[in-house]
Amino acid sequence: MSRVINTLDVALVAAAVIAATSLLSNDYYLRIIFMMCVYYLCAVGMNVLVGYAGQKSLGQAGLFAAGAYAVALLTTKTEISPWWALVLAAVIAGLCGVLIALPSLRVKGPYLAMVTLAFGIVVEKLVGEWTEVFGGAQGIYGIRPISWNEQPLTTQQWVWFAVVLCAVAHVLIRNLLHGRFGRALLSLQADEIASSSVGVRVYRAKVIAFVVAAVTCGIAGALVAQQNQYINSDFITFHLSIFILLLVLFGGAGSMYGPLVGAIVLTAIDAALARWPSAQHFLYGFLLLFALYAMPGGVTGALQTCFKRKPKKQRLSTGETPKTTRIGPVASGDLLVVEGVTKAYGGVKPAQNVSFCLQRGHIHALIGPNGAGKSTMINMLTGVVAPTSGSIKFLGQEIADKPAHEICRMGMGRTFQNLRLFADLSVLDNVMLGHHTRMRNGFVSSLLGLPGALKQEAITQARALELLELVGLSHLCEHPAGSLSYGLQRRVELARALATEPQLLLLDEPAAGLNPQETAELGQLLLRIGQCGVSILMVEHHMDLVMSVSDHVIVLDYGTKIAEGKPVEVQANPRVIEAYLGVDDEPDASEIHATA
């Protein structure tokens, strides 16, 4: 219902703008409004790439050129309809987005910006010097504009058309970002490893962000070319890429209305300083630095900070034991089989020919002194690290060569030794991200806001609230995850892992940093999770917790397995005692508690 209301609001605003511009007859002011729409189209796609996915790009001028020159060549060299030329220009720009994404996503940080910058410079040189095709500085004349009733659009009609396109783009991208794909993109910006661990296909999500930015920028370029009926290399400069980036950063990256604010304010400033190009460039540089350092959230971010609402105070947990919710299937037998797994980093081997088997319905513990290779083993099981040799079979399938998101999809969830929450997202959104791989709505249904996508969103939210109730955090669902205490953040990460609907849950030191009371509560929680049909393998140093909840214990020392069995048997094993105490004499087994 909220999406329908928001769509109606956008339609009303667009209708109001169209009504207002119908009273304008001055082509100069209409042209400024038209360029606001053009730059908004550039910025709204760029916001997906920069504000949500966190990928810094300086190649938007090249994508603008792809749309502009595609429509120019299609309408001057063929008899294709200008309407179809506009559509094809968007497709061609999208393909260029894929082209720039493939090499760009192999690098990160400033290197990513440099690769996209190189793309923009190559396109700038190409359209400027390949005069036989692109016309160079002379450009391409006679571009056929779109028409209505066989009459070219007037300046006023161009504005109306651009306003409608902006409204449609806003609604579609809002549908995309306020749901499964928006959460996935935000998770990339926060932590790619954690994102892949909950089933997000990191590379695919980045490519989608590049394509969305390319399509909207290509449409903007095509509109300029068709409205002017002319395009040349002077339109395609590095300053255009900087300006598009500035639109997003100044307006507010990551905000749905940031691109709109940036487009309106900066286009008006650009028009006011049109007579002084040097002043324009100086102001762009100043505003870019100002946005990065003094106002990192942009104008909309600053306004949100001023008028920020505190999360609603939810009812406090009653302390009652949450109801048991089924997560894993009712089954028995082998769940995970590890045979001869070795991991070598040069001469260092944190895992050496390790073999063990995990049974369904059991809580297993993987223990050992510091440096024994426990976290390395967890990372190999979940696809974060590839083993050098050996076999890992989960549910009868070999997973040693599979990426993390595929292993998660198969039914293996995990938490991390060092917290990897998406701190800026709410507790609820963190847990809903865990359900990402279980949602059935694809890109198109999410983009269009189809009923199927809305249903999946409702199901995911209900499931997330159910799991938060299980871990006792439903009263904090609206709070930013990073604002909670360390112990509560541990529970959020656990709920997020459970949201992946795992058959096997891997916990890397879940009690690290917890006080004795929190550790005891965690033990009870793990037992409840086991009753939900989830098998558990935990790496843990708290021997009290291990011995109280584990059915089976595996012990590593210097990368090799030295013992396994029931907790009591392992506790009395001489090799285990020697590994923990560093002595050959066999002391009382209870001393392990004091040294672990």
Side-chain angles (χ1 to χ4, degrees):
M1 180 61 70
S2 61
R3 289 196 182 188
V4 174
I5 294 173
N6 287 334
T7 301
L8 290 175
D9 290 341
V10 172
L12 289 174
V13 171
V17 173
I18 290 173
T21 54
S22 66
L23 302 177
L24 283 176
S25 58
N26 188 310
D27 279 359
Y28 175 74
Y29 294 120
L30 290 172
R31 172 72 178 175
I32 292 175
I33 297 172
F34 175 75
M35 291 309 298
M36 286 179 179
C37 295
V38 167
Y39 288 135
Y40 172 75
L41 288 172
C42 293
V44 74
M46 187 68 164
N47 188 39
V48 175
L49 183 62
V50 176
Y52 280 77
Q55 307 300 304
K56 302 299 185 288
S57 173
L58 293 173
Q60 298 308 105
L63 299 171
F64 186 93
Y69 279 93
V71 80
L73 294 173
L74 286 170
T75 57
T76 57
K77 304 295 184 181
T78 71
E79 296 300 320
I80 191 171
S81 164
W83 288 97
W84 280 112
L86 178 61
V87 174
L88 290 175
V91 173
I92 292 170
L95 293 175
C96 289
V98 175
L99 183 65
I100 189 177
L102 294 179
S104 298
L105 298 182
R106 299 184 183 276
V107 294
K108 296 180 181 180
Y111 301 104
L112 172 62
M114 294 303 293
V115 171
T116 57
L117 172 61
F119 171 80
I121 292 175
V122 167
V123 172
E124 182 181 347
K125 294 298 182 183
L126 189 67
V127 300
E129 298 183 10
W130 196 358
T131 56
E132 293 84 357
V133 177
F134 300 107
Q138 183 177 354
I140 300 176
Y141 290 87
I143 300 172
R144 285 184 288 127
I146 56 178
S147 58
W148 188 256
N149 290 331
E150 299 183 355
Q151 294 294 323
L153 299 185
T154 64
T155 304
Q156 202 171 55
Q157 290 171 332
W158 272 109
V159 171
W160 298 345
F161 179 56
V163 168
V164 170
L165 281 181
C166 289
V168 171
H170 176 84
V171 170
L172 293 179
I173 290 181
R174 186 200 61 210
N175 290 342
L176 185 69
L177 296 179
H178 287 183
R180 181 189 185 201
F181 286 92
R183 289 190 298 270
L185 293 176
L186 287 171
S187 72
L188 300 184
Q189 186 172 177
D191 191 326
E192 290 185 11
I193 293 178
S195 182
S196 64
S197 76
V198 296
V200 175
R201 298 174 63 179
V202 172
Y203 195 84
R204 177 174 176 263
K206 289 182 178 180
V207 171
I208 288 175
F210 266 97
V211 170
V212 170
V215 168
T216 59
C217 209
I219 292 173
L223 288 178
V224 170
Q226 287 189 308
Q227 201 270 342
N228 289 331
Q229 300 181 44
Y230 166 71
I231 190 74
N232 76 345
S233 58
D234 292 341
F235 286 83
I236 315 302
T237 64
F238 174 65
H239 298 298
L240 178 60
S241 292
I242 294 295
F243 186 72
I244 294 173
L245 179 61
L246 180 58
L247 292 171
V248 177
L249 296 180
F250 180 78
S255 166
M256 281 303 301
Y257 295 100
L260 180 62
V261 172
I264 293 174
V265 174
L266 294 180
T267 304
I269 293 175
D270 185 68
L273 299 179
R275 297 181 181 179
W276 303 281
S278 58
Q280 280 181 323
H281 299 157
F282 172 79
L283 185 62
Y284 296 160
F286 172 77
L287 290 177
L288 185 58
L289 292 174
F290 181 78
L292 289 173
Y293 291 102
M295 199 168 53
V299 174
T300 54
L303 293 175
Q304 288 174 354
T305 301
C306 294
F307 301 100
K308 188 175 182 180
R309 295 181 179 178
K310 294 182 179 180
K312 296 179 181 178
K313 291 185 178 181
Q314 304 286 330
R315 62 177 179 83
L316 296 177
S317 180
T318 60
E320 298 177 357
T321 302
K323 63 180 181 180
T324 300
T325 178
R326 174 57 55 178
I327 299 176
V330 178
S332 60
D334 294 344
L335 183 60
L336 180 77
V337 179
V338 177
E339 295 181 346
V341 167
T342 297
K343 181 60 183 178
Y345 296 100
V348 179
K349 295 183 178 180
Q352 303 178 53
N353 196 32
V354 177
S355 299
F356 57 84
C357 179
L358 303 185
Q359 299 291 315
R360 290 181 182 271
H362 288 185
I363 298 178
H364 306 79
L366 184 63
I367 67 173
N370 290 330
K374 305 182 295 297
S375 291
T376 299
M377 180 58 65
I378 293 289
N379 287 335
M380 286 191 290
L381 297 181
T382 54
V384 175
V385 173
T388 304
S389 61
S391 172
I392 304 174
K393 290 185 177 180
F394 179 58
L395 299 174
Q397 298 185 43
E398 182 63 47
I399 63 171
D401 58 345
K402 291 185 181 296
H405 68 266
E406 285 191 24
I407 295 174
C408 174
R409 184 184 295 272
M410 292 175 66
M412 190 184 299
R414 71 163 296 177
T415 63
F416 293 86
Q417 180 178 356
N418 298 316
L419 277 172
R420 286 184 176 272
L421 283 179
F422 309 119
D424 293 334
L425 299 184
S426 70
V427 169
L428 180 61
D429 282 338
N430 266 270
V431 181
M432 289 178 71
L433 257 166
H435 207 253
H436 176 87
T437 190
R438 304 302 174 194
M439 298 180 73
R440 299 178 182 178
N441 52 304
F443 175 80
V444 174
S445 62
S446 298
L447 183 70
L448 299 178
L450 298 181
L454 300 180
K455 181 179 179 181
Q456 287 295 310
E457 192 72 11
I459 291 173
T460 297
Q461 186 179 75
R463 184 59 166 171
L465 290 171
E466 187 178 2
L467 293 172
L468 284 171
E469 184 71 29
L470 175 66
V471 300
L473 293 180
S474 59
H475 60 291
L476 299 173
C477 64
E478 292 186 3
H479 289 247
S483 69
L484 303 185
S485 66
Y486 185 82
L488 294 181
Q489 288 187 49
R490 280 283 181 189
R491 291 200 174 207
V492 174
E493 190 179 38
L494 181 57
R496 186 183 69 187
L498 291 174
T500 65
E501 307 291 343
Q503 296 189 44
L504 175 62
L505 179 62
L506 279 63
L507 308 176
D508 197 351
E509 298 194 26
L514 303 185
N515 60 41
Q517 179 181 349
E518 291 172 330
T519 301
E521 291 174 352
L522 174 63
Q524 295 301 312
L525 177 58
L526 294 182
L527 292 174
R528 290 202 301 272
I529 291 172
Q531 296 171 1
C532 296
V534 179
S535 304
I536 297 174
L537 173 64
M538 65 174 175
V539 170
E540 191 49 71
H541 286 291
H542 287 72
M543 290 301 107
D544 289 336
L545 176 63
V546 169
M547 298 305 165
S548 64
V549 304
S550 300
D551 301 305
H552 183 260
V553 179
I554 303 163
V555 188
L556 298 181
D557 188 30
Y558 291 107
T560 62
K561 186 181 76 174
I562 61 173
E564 70 172 313
K566 294 182 178 179
V568 175
E569 298 170 350
V570 169
Q571 193 175 17
N573 188 297
R575 293 191 64 187
V576 176
I577 296 172
E578 181 180 350
Y580 271 95
L581 299 179
V583 295
D584 294 328
D585 297 332
E586 183 176 325
D588 187 80
S590 63
E591 293 183 22
I592 296 179
H593 296 300
T595 59

